[in-house]
């Protein structure tokens, strides 16, 4: 059997209804490995819904999502292992430290070492906060901690819904650099945001 070609992500003619509202109307996207996509549009245009369809959290009424030549609905956990999501909420338990949260969440995928954790927290600029209860962190610090999970996930596909929420200017620059670096290294990034993404080579998918 021939191994599937490493073609990246394709969204092919996706239609999605939420109740009586036609949210996604035949959306197409071709995101080869090594590309960084900015998904933008007004509120209600379906940006979050598109990410949820790509992730497999919603099934479209028509169309399909393909990863490396195979329809994702047939890949199951194999696709899930290659994907990392960051939503509006950081999804961290308040009574655990940031380190405990990330060790547990990344540990669901793979073993993670203290050296890796220390390096990732340092890279996100929150090393001094890693062992504080998450409830004591600011919204921006929680956002950075959540990004540590994405960074350590070893996932090829990053799906990020408003990743710059609660970040200061330095945080936006840091995140932008991380996303661009992931794409440059052969990954695929889909990020929704209302603000411009000041990184070279960013492609745009406009949802009306």
């Amino acid at each position: 059997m021939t191994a599937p070609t490493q073609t990246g992500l394709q969204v092919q003619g996706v239609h999605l209804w939420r109740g009586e509202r036609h949210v996604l109307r035949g959306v197409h996207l071709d995101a080869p490995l090594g590309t960084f996509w900015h998904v933008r549009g007004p509120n209600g245009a379906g940006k979050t819904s598109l990410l949820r369809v790509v992730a497999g959290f919603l099934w479209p009424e028509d169309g399909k999502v393909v990863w490396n030549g195979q329809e994702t609905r047939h890949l199951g956990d194999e696709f899930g292992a290659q994907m990392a999501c960051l939503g509006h909420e950081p999804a961290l338990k308040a009574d655990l430290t940031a380190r405990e949260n990330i060790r547990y969440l990344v540990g669901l995928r793979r073993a993670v070492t203290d050296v890796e954790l220390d390096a990732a927290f340092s890279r996100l600029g929150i090393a001094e906060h890693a062992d504080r209860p998450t409830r004591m962190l600011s919204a921006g610090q929680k956002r950075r901690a959540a990004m540590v999970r994405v960074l350590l996930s070893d996932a090829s596909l990053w799906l990020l819904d408003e990743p710059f929420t609660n970040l200061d200017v330095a945080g936006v620059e840091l995140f932008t650099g991380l996303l661009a670096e992931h794409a440059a290294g052969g990954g695929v990034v889909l990020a929704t945001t209302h603000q411009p993404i000041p990184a070279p080579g960013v492609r745009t998918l406009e949802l009306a």
Side-chain angles (χ1 to χ4, degrees), residues 32-192:
L33 298 178
T35 55
F36 182 172
W37 282 86
H38 178 192
V39 181
R40 67 183 188 182
N43 289 338
K47 300 184 297 297
T48 297
S49 294
L50 176 60
L51 292 193
R52 291 178 63 80
V53 167
V54 172
F57 302 151
L58 294 174
W59 294 116
E61 278 72 23
D62 197 12
K64 59 185 178 180
V65 178
V66 176
W67 176 250
N68 289 335
Q70 295 182 272
E71 193 172 349
T72 55
R73 69 169 65 227
H74 303 313
L75 291 174
D77 291 343
E78 180 183 342
F79 176 59
Q82 298 181 61
M83 173 185 67
C85 301
L86 179 62
H88 287 276
E89 298 297 327
L92 304 172
K93 292 187 178 298
D95 290 333
L96 297 180
T97 67
R99 182 189 300 274
E100 289 168 339
N101 268 291
I102 302 309
R103 184 188 298 280
Y104 171 75
L105 292 169
V106 176
L108 294 174
R109 291 174 174 261
R110 65 177 185 87
V112 59
T113 67
D114 287 332
V115 171
E116 289 178 297
L117 286 166
D118 289 342
F121 276 108
S122 292
R123 191 167 189 194
L124 268 296
I126 52 170
E128 67 272 27
H129 305 295
D131 296 305
R132 297 176 63 193
T134 303
R135 66 175 182 275
M136 298 177 63
L137 303 183
S138 70
Q141 289 165 349
K142 290 175 185 176
R143 199 68 173 166
R144 290 175 183 240
M147 192 63 194
V148 170
R149 173 181 58 79
V150 175
L151 194 64
L152 292 177
S153 67
D154 280 352
S156 297
L157 174 62
W158 287 7
L159 304 175
L160 311 170
D161 197 5
E162 297 292 344
F164 304 146
T165 299
N166 298 317
L167 294 179
D168 56 16
V169 172
V172 171
E173 291 178 355
L174 174 62
F175 273 41
T176 299
L178 291 174
L179 273 54
E181 181 181 300
H182 181 67
V188 175
V189 175
L190 265 65
T192 75

Side-chain angles (χ1 to χ4, degrees), residues 10-33:
Q10 289 82 43
V11 177
Q12 301 178 353
V14 163
H15 289 264
L16 179 73
W17 291 77
R18 302 301 296 271
E20 296 184 353
R21 191 162 67 93
H22 197 175
V23 179
L24 300 175
R25 301 171 178 264
V27 175
H28 289 269
L29 173 68
D30 185 9
L33 298 178

